[in-house]
Amino acid sequence: MRHEIVVRVFALVSVLIVAACLLFGWAVRG
Amino acid sequence: MYWIVRGALWFGAYLTLILFPLIVGAVAHGDAAGRPFHTQFGVACGLVSLSIMAFQYTMISKVKTVAGAFGQDALLHFHKLMGMLALVLLMAHAVLMLLSGYPAEWLNPFAPENPWAMRWGVIAGYLLVLLTLVSLLRKPLRLSYGWWQMSHAWLADAVVLMGLVHVLMFGSFSRSPAMRATFAVYSVIVLTLGIKYRLVRPLRMWSKPWVVVENRKEKGDSRTLVLKPSGHEGFTFEPGQFAWISTARTPLHKDRHPISFSSRAYDYGPAEIAFTIRDLGDWSGEIVPKLEPGRRVWVDGPYGVFSADREQGMGYVLIGGGVGVTPMMSICATLAERGDRRPVILFFAGRDLDSLTFDEEFRALEKRMNLKIVYVIERPPENWKGEKGYLNQEILKRHLPAQHKRFQYFICGPPPMMDMVEKALPALGVPPQNIHSERFDMV
């Protein structure tokens, strides 16, 4: 079961990381 | 619930560490702000990729509090997924920087006219691709586990170091003192962990060797190594846990193997311990059979949350396939020794009757404890009356007791069997928190 949870947590972490990168790009853009 | 809270806290801390450079960059950007969105997005991808790589080591460094919260096999799985995410982000970084007008010739690390600040980053990128390919293709390429472990560690170190040099020399955001301080602190954390787990802990293990007492052949191409502590008191473990074994000349060598304890856990003080290892080629097939009694080996453990002592229920259902029955032997032997009369059902899956490691030992335990063995044999003999073929939901349903929802379930075996059981048990009404699995087949 833990492995299924790991995959879900990873999916969540990936989405948050990409969102943070997009937000950063938007915040410091010209 | 406690498990979920602890997990959420750890991942919150991890995510904060990974994303912290972006927060610093957004606040203290100096003259780095003002470029187009896709350039800044590309920079963010590169920074986060480096942060992920820098903290990859913490996940596998056997930090006991972290491993204790999730189980080391689950952490290894997460480590692997995060490594691939770091590679994807690095590629996105390269593509977005090229789109921003950086020359494609800079991708050639051998061109002497290219600035070194750039070349370090490009070499780090190629090494990360190599690192990922070597990990994904270890089995098809038949690379030995020991060789892979060593190259993986060195390549990862090189990627992080070169990536850091590239960011500090070339990066526009890294010119700010705040960003430099962030990376300085990160370097100290990573270096401290590296020194602790690669140098201090192996040196401590060096002073606590174990000696082979017996090396016996078992059914199913397996061998049991019985070890005793030499000049120290050893340690106690919980039934179902594992340890890292090294048979190299010193524990400083990277050649270490995660193996489950197959002996019973001692409740009162340490004693001899045993590991049962299936011949899977390289180390297990070539080195293990040659370990004579008296030979010194190194044991780092115990590790793992796959432990019958941590999960109390009205009984246990143990589902083992192949050499995955070894932790089940430790659990059963421990329960028998303690006089525990709770019911235990062992689903014992194997290719044929000759491949069932510990078959006779489990039958002997049937007489000493409340144990029921359900054999599931892929290629049974002609007069076989038991279950045939592969373990499936129907077989599980046929043999589970009426109150099976209140039992604790432990699964260890080949990945396809584990995948099937992890889906079948919830379908049979077993609460997910009662299902515990251990996977070692990570690379």
Side-chain angles (χ1 to χ4, degrees):
Chain A
M1 269 340 266
R2 280 180 290 129
H3 289 271
E4 238 172 64
I5 298 167
V6 164
V7 173
R8 281 186 205 164
V9 170
F10 170 71
L12 178 69
V13 166
S14 307
V15 169
L16 289 174
I17 283 176
V18 173
C21 289
L22 286 167
L23 188 66
F24 176 86
W26 179 80
V28 294
R29 76 192 187 286
Chain B
M1 192 50 82
Y2 173 67
W3 191 90
I4 295 169
V5 172
R6 208 153 64 132
L9 284 175
W10 274 114
F11 276 102
Y14 174 71
L15 205 58
T16 308
L17 273 176
I18 299 296
L19 297 178
F20 193 66
L22 292 191
I23 300 168
V24 174
V27 175
H29 48 69
D31 57 355
R35 291 180 294 183
F37 165 76
H38 64 278
T39 309
Q40 306 295 47
F41 176 44
V43 168
C45 289
L47 284 173
V48 173
S49 176
L50 179 61
S51 285
I52 292 174
M53 282 303 293
F55 288 103
Q56 278 293 76
Y57 187 63
T58 55
M59 261 180 279
I60 45 139
S61 59
K62 306 193 257 347
V63 181
K64 283 211 172 183
T65 43
V66 184
F70 306 107
Q72 202 156 13
D73 62 328
L75 277 183
L76 278 174
H77 192 186
F78 190 71
H79 168 90
K80 192 172 163 182
L81 293 170
M82 287 307 290
M84 286 194 259
L85 178 65
L87 180 64
V88 170
L89 288 170
L90 184 86
M91 286 181 165
H93 170 68
V95 170
L96 288 163
M97 289 297 119
L98 287 176
L99 289 175
S100 301
Y102 286 94
E105 297 81 61
W106 281 8
L107 291 175
N108 178 6
F110 302 108
E113 64 275 13
N114 289 348
W116 268 108
M118 192 63 223
R119 283 159 84 177
W120 286 122
V122 170
I123 297 170
Y126 289 132
L127 288 183
L128 184 56
V129 173
L130 180 69
L131 178 80
T132 313
L133 283 178
V134 168
S135 296
L136 293 176
L137 300 174
R138 184 182 86 81
K139 279 186 181 159
L141 292 175
R142 296 185 178 192
L143 297 172
S144 81
Y145 186 73
W147 187 90
W148 169 80
Q149 252 185 342
M150 204 165 64
S151 66
H152 195 75
W154 285 111
L155 279 171
D157 288 348
V159 169
V160 173
L161 192 66
M162 290 179 186
L164 186 65
V165 170
H166 166 69
V167 168
L168 292 177
M169 284 174 78
F170 196 81
S172 40
F173 285 92
S174 56
R175 280 198 283 271
S176 81
M179 189 67 97
R180 285 181 180 264
T182 305
F183 278 109
V185 171
Y186 278 20
S187 303
V188 170
I189 297 173
V190 172
L191 262 176
T192 310
L193 279 172
I195 291 170
K196 185 176 175 192
Y197 290 98
R198 288 192 197 171
L199 203 66
V200 176
R201 188 177 281 187
L203 284 175
R204 216 180 285 155
M205 277 167 66
W206 209 341
S207 65
K208 293 182 175 178
W210 292 72
V211 174
V212 177
V213 177
E214 192 186 352
N215 181 353
R216 64 172 179 265
K217 207 168 173 348
E218 303 280 3
K219 275 172 79 176
D221 297 329
S222 302
R223 300 196 79 89
T224 292
L225 282 181
V226 182
L227 310 176
K228 70 171 185 189
S230 169
H232 60 99
E233 291 192 344
F235 52 69
T236 52
F237 64 91
E238 297 165 27
Q241 286 191 305
F242 71 95
W244 293 82
I245 303 182
S246 169
T247 50
R249 268 179 297 140
T250 74
L252 289 164
H253 283 72
K254 284 293 285 173
D255 194 6
R256 294 177 306 170
H257 305 266
I259 311 285
S260 294
F261 293 96
S262 56
S263 53
R264 72 177 170 90
Y266 286 83
D267 293 330
Y268 305 102
E272 288 180 353
I273 56 175
F275 297 92
T276 301
I277 302 153
R278 172 160 282 188
D279 180 356
L280 298 170
D282 54 39
W283 176 79
S284 54
E286 288 165 21
I287 308 290
V288 172
K290 292 178 190 154
L291 296 172
E292 301 282 341
R295 166 77 184 259
R296 274 201 315 179
V297 296
W298 319 101
V299 182
D300 181 15
Y303 290 104
V305 291
F306 189 78
S307 152
D309 282 1
R310 294 181 188 211
E311 316 292 347
Q312 297 299 326
M314 68 172 291
Y316 295 100
V317 176
L318 311 176
I319 303 163
V323 78
V325 297
T326 55
M328 312 311 178
M329 171 46 78
S330 179
I331 292 172
C332 287
T334 306
L335 294 175
E337 191 61 30
R338 290 175 185 165
D340 196 318
R341 297 301 301 169
R342 282 178 293 175
V344 178
I345 300 161
L346 170 69
F347 287 89
F348 197 165
R351 198 178 54 244
D352 50 49
L353 290 178
D354 292 331
S355 71
L356 300 177
T357 310
F358 290 138
D359 180 24
E360 282 144 35
E361 288 83 349
F362 278 119
R363 282 169 186 271
L365 283 172
E366 249 182 329
K367 295 174 190 131
R368 293 176 53 204
M369 60 188 289
N370 190 358
L371 173 67
K372 174 187 164 190
I373 306 175
V374 178
Y375 292 99
V376 185
I377 307 299
E378 203 184 315
R379 288 181 226 148
E382 277 183 20
N383 54 351
W384 179 251
K385 292 190 180 76
E387 298 289 356
K388 296 172 194 166
Y390 293 108
L391 183 62
N392 57 38
Q393 192 170 322
E394 283 307 306
I395 296 176
L396 287 168
K397 196 176 172 184
R398 261 201 293 281
H399 297 279
L400 287 180
Q403 290 178 301
H404 68 275
K405 290 175 189 168
R406 294 171 63 194
F407 279 56
Q408 294 287 347
Y409 292 75
F410 289 86
I411 317 158
C412 189
M417 186 200 90
M418 296 183 69
D419 293 341
M420 187 285 298
V421 176
E422 285 180 356
K423 283 193 179 75
L425 291 177
L428 292 170
V430 177
Q433 64 270 23
N434 288 16
I435 304 170
H436 317 283
S437 51
E438 187 85 290
R439 291 170 192 252
F440 289 112
D441 197 30
M442 286 292 133
V443 280

Coordinates of all heavy atoms in Angstrom, one line a residue, chain B residues 28-29 34 63 89-90 120 165 171 187 218 228 232 248 294 313 343 356 377 421 434 443:
Chain B
A28 N 15.1 38.1 -3.4 CA 16.3 38.8 -3.5 C 16.9 38.5 -5.0 O 17.8 37.8 -5.1 CB 17.3 38.3 -2.5
H29 N 16.2 39.1 -6.0 CA 16.6 38.8 -7.3 C 17.6 39.7 -7.9 O 18.2 39.5 -9.0 CB 15.3 38.7 -8.2 CG 14.4 39.9 -8.1 ND1 14.7 41.1 -8.5 CD2 13.1 39.9 -7.5 CE1 13.7 41.9 -8.2 NE2 12.7 41.2 -7.6
G34 N 13.3 40.6 -14.8 CA 13.1 41.4 -15.9 C 13.2 40.7 -17.3 O 13.0 41.3 -18.3
V63 N 18.7 7.7 7.1 CA 18.4 8.5 8.3 C 17.2 7.8 9.0 O 16.2 7.7 8.4 CB 17.9 10.0 7.9 CG1 17.6 10.8 9.1 CG2 19.0 10.6 7.0
L89 N 13.3 18.1 -15.3 CA 13.4 19.5 -15.1 C 14.7 20.1 -15.7 O 14.7 21.2 -16.2 CB 13.4 19.8 -13.5 CG 12.0 19.6 -12.9 CD1 12.2 19.7 -11.4 CD2 11.1 20.7 -13.3
L90 N 15.8 19.2 -15.6 CA 17.0 19.7 -16.2 C 16.9 19.8 -17.7 O 17.4 20.8 -18.3 CB 18.1 18.7 -15.9 CG 19.5 19.1 -16.4 CD1 20.2 20.0 -15.4 CD2 20.4 17.9 -16.7
W120 N 30.6 23.3 -17.1 CA 30.3 22.5 -15.9 C 28.8 22.0 -15.8 O 28.5 20.9 -15.5 CB 30.6 23.3 -14.6 CG 32.1 23.4 -14.3 CD1 32.7 24.6 -14.2 CD2 33.0 22.4 -14.2 NE1 34.1 24.4 -14.0 CE2 34.3 23.0 -13.9 CE3 33.0 21.0 -14.2 CZ2 35.5 22.3 -13.7 CZ3 34.2 20.3 -14.0 CH2 35.4 20.9 -13.8
V165 N 28.7 24.4 -9.1 CA 29.7 25.3 -9.6 C 29.1 26.1 -10.8 O 29.2 27.3 -10.9 CB 30.9 24.5 -10.1 CG1 31.9 25.4 -10.9 CG2 31.6 23.9 -9.0
G171 N 25.0 31.5 -12.9 CA 23.6 31.9 -12.6 C 23.5 33.4 -12.3 O 24.3 34.0 -11.6
S187 N 25.1 23.1 1.0 CA 26.3 22.3 0.8 C 26.8 21.8 2.1 O 27.2 20.6 2.2 CB 27.5 23.2 0.3 OG 27.0 23.8 -0.9
E218 N 20.0 -24.1 1.3 CA 18.6 -24.3 1.5 C 17.9 -24.7 0.2 O 18.5 -24.6 -0.9 CB 18.0 -23.0 2.0 CG 18.6 -22.4 3.3 CD 18.1 -23.1 4.5 OE1 17.4 -24.0 4.5 OE2 18.6 -22.6 5.6
K228 N 27.5 -14.3 14.0 CA 27.6 -13.9 15.4 C 28.4 -12.7 15.6 O 29.4 -12.5 14.8 CB 28.1 -15.1 16.3 CG 29.5 -15.4 16.2 CD 30.0 -16.4 17.2 CE 31.5 -16.6 17.1 NZ 32.0 -17.6 17.9
H232 N 31.7 -7.6 20.3 CA 30.7 -6.6 20.7 C 29.4 -7.3 20.9 O 29.3 -8.6 20.8 CB 30.5 -5.5 19.6 CG 30.0 -6.1 18.2 ND1 28.7 -6.1 17.8 CD2 30.7 -6.7 17.2 CE1 28.6 -6.6 16.6 NE2 29.8 -7.0 16.3
A248 N 32.7 -7.2 1.8 CA 33.9 -6.6 1.3 C 35.0 -6.6 2.4 O 34.6 -6.9 3.6 CB 33.7 -5.2 0.8
G294 N 34.0 -18.4 10.0 CA 35.2 -17.6 10.5 C 35.4 -16.4 9.7 O 36.1 -15.5 10.2
G313 N -2.5 -7.3 15.6 CA -3.9 -7.6 15.1 C -4.4 -8.8 15.8 O -3.6 -9.4 16.7
P343 N -3.8 -16.7 15.5 CA -3.8 -17.5 14.3 C -2.9 -16.8 13.2 O -2.9 -15.5 13.1 CB -5.2 -17.5 13.8 CG -5.9 -16.4 14.5 CD -5.2 -16.2 15.8
L356 N 10.6 -24.4 -2.7 CA 10.0 -23.8 -1.5 C 11.1 -23.7 -0.3 O 11.2 -24.7 0.4 CB 8.8 -24.5 -1.0 CG 7.6 -24.6 -2.0 CD1 6.5 -25.4 -1.4 CD2 7.1 -23.2 -2.3
I377 N 1.1 -23.5 -5.8 CA 2.3 -24.0 -6.6 C 2.0 -23.9 -8.1 O 1.0 -24.3 -8.6 CB 2.5 -25.5 -6.3 CG1 2.7 -25.7 -4.8 CG2 3.8 -26.0 -7.0 CD1 3.8 -25.0 -4.1
V421 N -1.7 -8.8 -5.0 CA -2.2 -8.9 -3.6 C -2.6 -7.6 -3.1 O -3.6 -7.4 -2.4 CB -1.1 -9.6 -2.7 CG1 -1.6 -9.7 -1.3 CG2 -0.8 -11.0 -3.2
N434 N -3.9 -2.1 7.2 CA -3.5 -3.4 7.7 C -2.6 -4.1 6.7 O -2.2 -5.3 6.9 CB -4.7 -4.3 8.0 CG -5.5 -3.8 9.2 OD1 -5.2 -2.7 9.7 ND2 -6.4 -4.6 9.7
V443 N 16.2 -1.6 -8.2 CA 17.0 -1.2 -9.3 C 17.4 -2.5 -10.1 O 17.4 -3.5 -9.6 CB 18.3 -0.5 -8.9 CG1 18.0 0.9 -8.6 CG2 18.9 -1.2 -7.7

